Amino acid sequence: MKVLVFSQYFWPESFRINEVAESLQAVGCEVTVLTGQPNYPHGKTFEGYRASQISQEMHAKGYIIHRVPLIPRGKAKAVGLFFNYLSFVLSSALIGPFVLRGQKFDLIFVCGMSPFTQSVSAIWLGKLKKAKVVVWVQDLWPESLEATGFVKNKTVLSAVAAVVSWIYRHSDLLLVQSKGFISSVQNKAGSTPIKYHPNPGELAFNHTASDTRHASAVSFNNGFNIVFAGNLGTVQALDTVLDAAEQIKEHADINIVLIGSGSLTTWLESEIRRRNLRNVSMPGRFPVEAMPSILGQASALLVSLCRDPIISKTIPSKIQVYLAAGKPIIASLDGEGARVVEESGAGIGCSAGNSTALAHAILKLHALPTNELELMGRKGIEYYQQHFEPAMLARRLREYFSTLLASDPSFTAKDVKF
């Protein structure tokens, strides 16, 4: 089975689609990648690449990556993102057929992160290559634009909804990363079949020997260390985390460690200094390979999202990472993510955006005996193996592809499997 993985973001940028491509290769798919020139998250084209370049390289895992020109996102302002997104749509649609000339594919697999418009180019390529198109929906559009405040104009939101509906109806299969997405996607998808396919965990957690080179760079204090790892942005409700940290300052042995980077990095550093929060530290961003050893030093792991009915439908990818790490989880969120943590028995939760409830949850976990904390960790690993293990999900993904290509009449829009 020849699969073209289609994604604006790809290695050496750090995204889950990198490992999904590797896992597909491992289960027998012949993988090729079409992507842009890497520039995320800093907005500058990576060293060794050029924004205007058409290039090809062989990944160490044995598949070819084709790259088309891409305008860097810059400082991720609205104008910069618009041209960044538009450039990939145009490059992949106009130059993509040239770089892929003479190659045949059974299926085009679209990683449906921002920009959602990239799927238009994938559908165009699918027509040219006579290949099925599968879109893996990672965000709800236009709902997520409205929820984050990125777009408020109702006319623009309606236009986006129309484009999304066109994409869904012209795809051959839609995969959704959260059960909470299904009703919204169904309303726009027409007769296109929909399947629930969650984001897998990270392959680094499948290996007993992890990369320990960066573990010593994180200065954990002798105490109860709560680690938040990932994007430091507005959706993650980090103001709530700081407010909770302020409420538990008198508990000198409790420390909150924010690992990662994002649009709020500078603001967070400023707020920590202004509030004199000595119980909060920001050691920086580290590669995926280092995370097992870093998270392994934590006493508990924290996931938080802002309070919004649309945001509550998503499952943050860090939940899979946390479950695999085998540490108790504190979940300051609503909806699907909270359901996973509660269902797994791997931690305790509280409502999103409620700093007092988060402070109480931290103190409750802190007060538990070691054996109960260890039990939560073991339950997390068990749940991860059953629901998010990468090889298992890669096999399931290949089965979806095979069934679609075989045109199984049972594979219909009504056949939404959980």
Side-chain angles (χ1 to χ4, degrees):
M1 184 188 305
K2 294 184 177 181
V3 178
L4 176 66
V5 173
F6 187 99
S7 176
Q8 176 168 326
Y9 308 99
F10 202 76
W11 176 91
E13 296 166 320
S14 182
F15 284 92
R16 196 62 51 85
I17 188 60
N18 305 347
E19 296 189 343
V20 172
E22 179 182 339
S23 296
L24 282 173
Q25 183 97 339
V27 296
C29 295
E30 186 178 330
V31 172
T32 302
V33 177
L34 181 66
T35 187
Q37 302 295 336
N39 69 106
Y40 183 91
H42 302 298
K44 296 181 180 179
T45 304
F46 284 25
E47 186 176 350
Y49 298 87
R50 295 201 311 274
S52 60
Q53 186 179 34
I54 300 173
S55 60
Q56 176 182 309
E57 60 188 300
M58 177 67 76
H59 192 276
K61 298 298 180 181
Y63 53 83
I64 294 175
I65 303 173
H66 295 279
R67 298 188 185 275
V68 294
L70 181 70
I71 297 173
R73 61 195 283 122
K75 295 182 179 180
K77 302 296 183 182
V79 174
L81 286 175
F82 173 79
F83 285 108
N84 173 249
Y85 294 169
L86 180 63
S87 66
F88 183 69
V89 172
L90 294 176
S91 286
S92 57
L94 300 176
I95 301 174
F98 170 74
V99 302
L100 297 172
R101 64 192 182 282
Q103 300 185 54
K104 294 184 180 296
F105 301 100
D106 298 304
L107 184 141
I108 298 175
F109 178 49
V110 185
C111 184
M113 299 181 293
S114 303
F116 73 96
T117 46
Q118 67 179 316
S119 300
V120 175
S121 301
I123 292 169
W124 164 243
L125 280 172
K127 298 293 185 186
L128 293 178
K129 296 290 183 180
K130 295 182 173 56
K132 299 288 188 181
V133 177
V134 178
V135 177
W136 193 13
V137 181
Q138 294 289 323
D139 293 297
L140 290 178
W141 297 85
E143 295 92 334
S144 60
L145 291 174
E146 188 172 17
T148 58
F150 193 78
V151 175
K152 298 180 181 179
N153 186 287
K154 297 296 182 183
T155 302
V156 173
L157 291 171
S158 295
V160 170
V163 174
V164 171
S165 182
W166 184 91
I167 289 169
Y168 289 173
R169 291 167 186 265
H170 286 79
S171 301
D172 296 291
L173 172 63
L174 298 169
L175 304 174
V176 292
Q177 63 102 318
S178 166
K179 294 177 183 178
F181 283 15
I182 292 174
S183 60
S184 178
V185 172
Q186 275 183 323
N187 290 336
K188 302 181 183 73
S191 61
T192 305
I194 303 166
K195 302 289 181 182
Y196 167 58
H197 187 76
N199 286 317
E202 292 175 349
L203 291 175
F205 286 87
N206 282 19
H207 307 297
T208 54
S210 62
D211 186 339
T212 60
R213 290 174 296 171
H214 300 280
S216 61
V218 181
S219 64
F220 287 103
N221 296 328
N222 293 323
F224 195 80
N225 295 297
I226 301 168
V227 173
F228 175 101
N231 183 47
L232 305 180
T234 54
V235 173
Q236 284 70 39
L238 295 167
D239 54 339
T240 300
V241 175
L242 295 190
D243 290 344
E246 197 159 23
Q247 294 177 42
I248 60 173
K249 282 196 297 187
E250 68 273 14
H251 297 271
D253 64 326
I254 301 179
N255 311 294
I256 297 177
V257 185
L258 305 178
I259 295 176
S261 62
S263 60
L264 292 185
T265 298
T266 302
W267 179 83
L268 287 165
E269 291 170 343
S270 175
E271 280 295 290
I272 290 168
R273 288 194 299 269
R274 185 183 69 82
R275 302 192 198 189
N276 192 30
L277 294 176
R278 297 184 179 180
N279 58 346
V280 182
S281 61
M282 296 178 62
R285 183 186 181 96
F286 298 90
V288 168
E289 296 78 12
M291 294 314 297
S293 58
I294 292 174
L295 298 186
Q297 300 175 75
S299 306
L301 303 172
L302 170 65
V303 55
S304 62
L305 288 176
C306 62
R307 191 176 188 84
D308 183 275
I310 299 303
I311 300 299
S312 70
K313 293 183 178 182
T314 192
I315 301 175
S317 291
K318 64 168 57 66
I319 287 183
Q320 287 91 319
V321 173
Y322 288 179
L323 291 168
K327 296 289 182 176
I329 300 171
I330 301 170
S332 174
L333 41 75
D334 303 323
E336 282 298 294
R339 178 191 63 79
V340 169
V341 173
E342 180 180 356
E343 189 174 277
S344 67
I348 59 176
C350 61
S351 57
N354 188 329
S355 61
T356 300
L358 176 56
H360 289 161
I362 291 172
L363 294 177
K364 180 179 178 180
L365 200 67
H366 174 250
L368 291 178
T370 301
N371 65 319
E372 289 192 32
L373 296 175
E374 290 175 348
L375 178 60
M376 286 181 176
R378 290 195 299 274
K379 287 183 176 180
I381 292 174
E382 290 171 3
Y383 192 90
Y384 170 83
Q385 292 294 336
Q386 294 171 6
H387 297 273
F388 301 119
E389 197 279 319
M392 177 269 293
L393 286 176
R395 289 190 296 271
R396 183 186 300 173
L397 189 57
R398 192 183 191 284
E399 288 174 7
Y400 285 158
F401 293 169
S402 297
T403 305
L404 177 64
L405 293 173
S407 299
D408 187 330
S410 68
F411 207 68
T412 66
K414 295 181 180 179
D415 182 29
V416 180
K417 294 184 179 179
F418 302 145

Coordinates of all heavy atoms in Angstrom, one line a residue, residues 168-208:
Y168 N -14.7 18.2 3.9 CA -15.2 16.9 4.5 C -16.0 16.1 3.4 O -15.9 14.9 3.4 CB -16.2 17.2 5.6 CG -15.5 17.7 6.9 CD1 -16.2 18.2 8.0 CD2 -14.1 17.8 7.0 CE1 -15.6 18.7 9.1 CE2 -13.5 18.3 8.1 CZ -14.2 18.7 9.2 OH -13.6 19.2 10.3
R169 N -16.8 16.8 2.6 CA -17.7 16.1 1.7 C -16.9 15.5 0.5 O -17.4 14.6 -0.2 CB -18.8 17.0 1.2 CG -19.8 17.2 2.3 CD -20.8 18.4 2.0 NE -21.6 18.7 3.1 CZ -22.9 18.2 3.3 NH1 -23.4 17.4 2.4 NH2 -23.6 18.6 4.4
H170 N -15.7 16.1 0.2 CA -14.9 15.6 -0.9 C -13.8 14.7 -0.5 O -12.9 14.4 -1.3 CB -14.3 16.9 -1.7 CG -15.4 17.5 -2.5 ND1 -16.3 18.4 -2.0 CD2 -15.7 17.4 -3.9 CE1 -17.1 18.9 -3.0 NE2 -16.8 18.3 -4.1
S171 N -13.7 14.4 0.8 CA -12.8 13.4 1.3 C -13.4 12.0 1.2 O -14.6 11.9 1.1 CB -12.4 13.7 2.8 OG -11.8 15.0 2.9
D172 N -12.6 11.0 1.2 CA -13.1 9.6 1.2 C -13.3 9.0 2.6 O -14.1 8.1 2.7 CB -12.2 8.7 0.4 CG -12.1 9.2 -1.1 OD1 -13.1 9.0 -1.8 OD2 -11.0 9.8 -1.5
L173 N -12.6 9.5 3.5 CA -12.7 9.1 4.9 C -12.2 10.2 5.8 O -11.2 10.8 5.6 CB -11.9 7.8 5.1 CG -11.7 7.3 6.6 CD1 -13.1 6.9 7.2 CD2 -10.7 6.1 6.7
L174 N -13.0 10.4 6.9 CA -12.6 11.4 8.0 C -12.3 10.6 9.3 O -13.0 9.8 9.7 CB -13.7 12.4 8.2 CG -14.1 13.2 7.0 CD1 -15.4 14.0 7.3 CD2 -13.0 14.2 6.6
L175 N -11.1 10.9 9.8 CA -10.7 10.4 11.1 C -10.8 11.5 12.1 O -10.4 12.6 11.8 CB -9.3 9.8 11.1 CG -9.1 8.7 10.1 CD1 -7.6 8.3 10.1 CD2 -10.0 7.5 10.3
V176 N -11.3 11.3 13.3 CA -11.4 12.3 14.3 C -10.6 11.9 15.6 O -10.6 10.7 16.0 CB -12.8 12.7 14.8 CG1 -13.6 13.3 13.6 CG2 -13.6 11.4 15.2
Q177 N -9.8 12.8 16.1 CA -8.9 12.5 17.2 C -9.6 12.4 18.6 O -9.0 12.0 19.6 CB -7.7 13.5 17.3 CG -8.1 14.9 17.6 CD -7.9 15.3 19.0 OE1 -8.1 14.6 20.0 NE2 -7.3 16.5 19.2
S178 N -10.9 12.8 18.6 CA -11.6 12.8 19.8 C -13.1 12.4 19.6 O -13.7 12.8 18.5 CB -11.6 14.2 20.5 OG -12.6 14.3 21.5
K179 N -13.7 11.6 20.4 CA -15.1 11.3 20.3 C -16.0 12.5 20.3 O -17.0 12.5 19.7 CB -15.5 10.3 21.4 CG -14.8 8.9 21.3 CD -15.2 8.0 22.5 CE -14.5 6.7 22.4 NZ -14.9 5.9 23.6
G180 N -15.5 13.5 21.0 CA -16.3 14.8 21.1 C -16.4 15.5 19.8 O -17.2 16.4 19.7
F181 N -15.5 15.2 18.8 CA -15.6 15.8 17.5 C -16.7 15.3 16.6 O -17.1 16.0 15.7 CB -14.3 15.6 16.8 CG -13.1 16.5 17.3 CD1 -13.1 17.1 18.5 CD2 -12.0 16.6 16.5 CE1 -12.1 17.9 18.9 CE2 -10.9 17.3 16.9 CZ -10.9 18.0 18.1
I182 N -17.2 14.1 16.9 CA -18.0 13.4 15.9 C -19.3 14.1 15.5 O -19.5 14.3 14.3 CB -18.4 12.0 16.5 CG1 -17.1 11.1 16.5 CG2 -19.4 11.3 15.6 CD1 -17.3 9.8 17.2
S183 N -20.0 14.7 16.4 CA -21.3 15.3 16.1 C -21.0 16.5 15.2 O -21.8 16.8 14.2 CB -22.1 15.7 17.3 OG -21.3 16.6 18.1
S184 N -20.0 17.3 15.6 CA -19.7 18.5 14.8 C -19.3 18.2 13.4 O -19.7 18.8 12.4 CB -18.6 19.3 15.5 OG -18.3 20.5 14.7
V185 N -18.4 17.2 13.2 CA -17.9 16.7 11.9 C -19.1 16.1 11.1 O -19.2 16.4 9.9 CB -16.8 15.8 12.1 CG1 -16.4 15.2 10.7 CG2 -15.6 16.5 12.7
Q186 N -19.9 15.3 11.7 CA -21.0 14.7 11.0 C -22.0 15.7 10.4 O -22.5 15.5 9.3 CB -21.8 13.8 12.0 CG -21.3 12.4 12.1 CD -22.1 11.5 13.0 OE1 -22.7 12.0 14.0 NE2 -22.2 10.2 12.7
N187 N -22.1 16.8 11.1 CA -23.0 17.9 10.6 C -22.6 18.5 9.3 O -23.4 19.1 8.5 CB -23.2 19.0 11.6 CG -24.0 18.5 12.8 OD1 -24.8 17.6 12.8 ND2 -23.8 19.2 14.0
K188 N -21.3 18.4 9.0 CA -20.7 19.0 7.8 C -20.3 17.9 6.8 O -19.9 18.3 5.6 CB -19.5 19.8 8.2 CG -19.7 20.9 9.2 CD -18.5 21.7 9.4 CE -18.7 22.8 10.5 NZ -18.8 22.3 11.8
A189 N -20.2 16.7 7.2 CA -19.6 15.7 6.3 C -20.4 15.0 5.3 O -19.9 14.3 4.4 CB -19.0 14.6 7.2
G190 N -21.8 15.2 5.3 CA -22.6 14.5 4.4 C -22.5 13.0 4.5 O -22.7 12.5 5.6
S191 N -22.2 12.3 3.4 CA -22.1 10.9 3.4 C -20.7 10.3 3.6 O -20.5 9.1 3.6 CB -22.7 10.3 2.1 OG -21.9 10.8 1.0
T192 N -19.7 11.2 3.9 CA -18.4 10.7 4.1 C -18.3 10.0 5.4 O -18.7 10.5 6.4 CB -17.4 11.9 4.1 OG1 -17.5 12.7 2.9 CG2 -16.0 11.5 4.2
P193 N -17.7 8.8 5.4 CA -17.6 8.0 6.6 C -16.7 8.6 7.6 O -15.7 9.3 7.2 CB -17.1 6.6 6.1 CG -16.4 6.9 4.8 CD -17.2 8.0 4.2
I194 N -16.9 8.4 8.9 CA -16.1 9.0 10.0 C -15.7 7.9 10.9 O -16.5 7.0 11.3 CB -17.0 10.0 10.8 CG1 -17.5 11.1 9.8 CG2 -16.1 10.6 11.9 CD1 -18.5 12.0 10.5
K195 N -14.5 7.9 11.4 CA -14.0 6.9 12.4 C -13.2 7.7 13.5 O -12.6 8.7 13.2 CB -13.0 6.0 11.7 CG -13.6 5.2 10.5 CD -14.6 4.1 11.0 CE -15.1 3.3 9.8 NZ -16.1 2.4 10.2
Y196 N -13.4 7.2 14.7 CA -12.6 7.7 15.8 C -11.2 7.1 15.8 O -11.0 5.9 15.8 CB -13.3 7.4 17.1 CG -12.4 7.6 18.3 CD1 -11.9 8.8 18.6 CD2 -12.2 6.5 19.2 CE1 -11.1 9.0 19.8 CE2 -11.4 6.7 20.3 CZ -10.8 8.0 20.6 OH -10.1 8.2 21.7
H197 N -10.2 8.0 15.7 CA -8.8 7.5 15.7 C -8.0 8.5 16.5 O -7.6 9.6 16.0 CB -8.2 7.4 14.3 CG -6.9 6.7 14.3 ND1 -6.7 5.4 14.4 CD2 -5.6 7.3 14.1 CE1 -5.4 5.1 14.4 NE2 -4.7 6.2 14.2
P198 N -7.7 8.2 17.8 CA -7.0 9.1 18.7 C -5.5 9.3 18.3 O -4.9 8.4 17.6 CB -7.1 8.4 20.0 CG -7.2 7.0 19.7 CD -7.9 6.9 18.5
N199 N -4.9 10.4 18.7 CA -3.5 10.5 18.6 C -2.8 9.5 19.4 O -3.1 9.2 20.6 CB -3.1 11.9 19.1 CG -3.5 13.0 18.1 OD1 -3.3 12.9 16.9 ND2 -4.0 14.1 18.7
P200 N -1.8 8.8 18.8 CA -1.0 7.8 19.6 C 0.0 8.5 20.6 O 0.2 9.7 20.5 CB -0.3 7.1 18.5 CG -0.1 8.1 17.4 CD -1.3 8.9 17.4
G201 N 0.5 7.7 21.5 CA 1.5 8.2 22.3 C 2.8 8.3 21.6 O 2.9 8.0 20.4
E202 N 3.9 8.8 22.2 CA 5.1 9.0 21.6 C 6.0 7.7 21.6 O 6.1 7.0 22.6 CB 5.9 10.2 22.2 CG 5.2 11.5 21.9 CD 5.8 12.7 22.6 OE1 6.6 12.4 23.5 OE2 5.4 13.8 22.3
L203 N 6.7 7.4 20.5 CA 7.5 6.2 20.4 C 8.6 6.2 21.4 O 9.0 5.1 21.8 CB 8.1 6.1 19.0 CG 7.1 5.8 17.9 CD1 7.8 5.8 16.5 CD2 6.4 4.5 18.1
A204 N 9.0 7.4 21.9 CA 10.1 7.4 22.9 C 9.8 6.7 24.1 O 10.6 6.1 24.8 CB 10.5 8.9 23.2
F205 N 8.4 6.6 24.5 CA 8.0 5.9 25.7 C 7.9 4.4 25.5 O 7.6 3.7 26.4 CB 6.7 6.5 26.2 CG 6.8 7.9 26.8 CD1 6.8 9.0 26.0 CD2 7.0 8.0 28.1 CE1 6.9 10.3 26.5 CE2 7.2 9.3 28.7 CZ 7.1 10.4 27.9
N206 N 8.1 4.0 24.3 CA 8.1 2.5 24.0 C 9.4 1.9 24.3 O 9.6 0.6 24.3 CB 7.7 2.2 22.6 CG 6.2 2.4 22.4 OD1 5.5 3.0 23.1 ND2 5.7 1.8 21.3
H207 N 10.4 2.7 24.6 CA 11.8 2.1 24.8 C 12.2 2.3 26.2 O 12.0 3.3 26.9 CB 12.8 2.9 23.9 CG 12.4 2.9 22.4 ND1 12.3 1.8 21.7 CD2 12.1 4.0 21.6 CE1 11.9 2.1 20.4 NE2 11.8 3.4 20.4
T208 N 12.7 1.2 26.8 CA 13.1 1.3 28.2 C 14.3 2.2 28.4 O 14.5 2.8 29.4 CB 13.5 -0.2 28.7 OG1 14.5 -0.7 27.8 CG2 12.3 -1.0 28.6

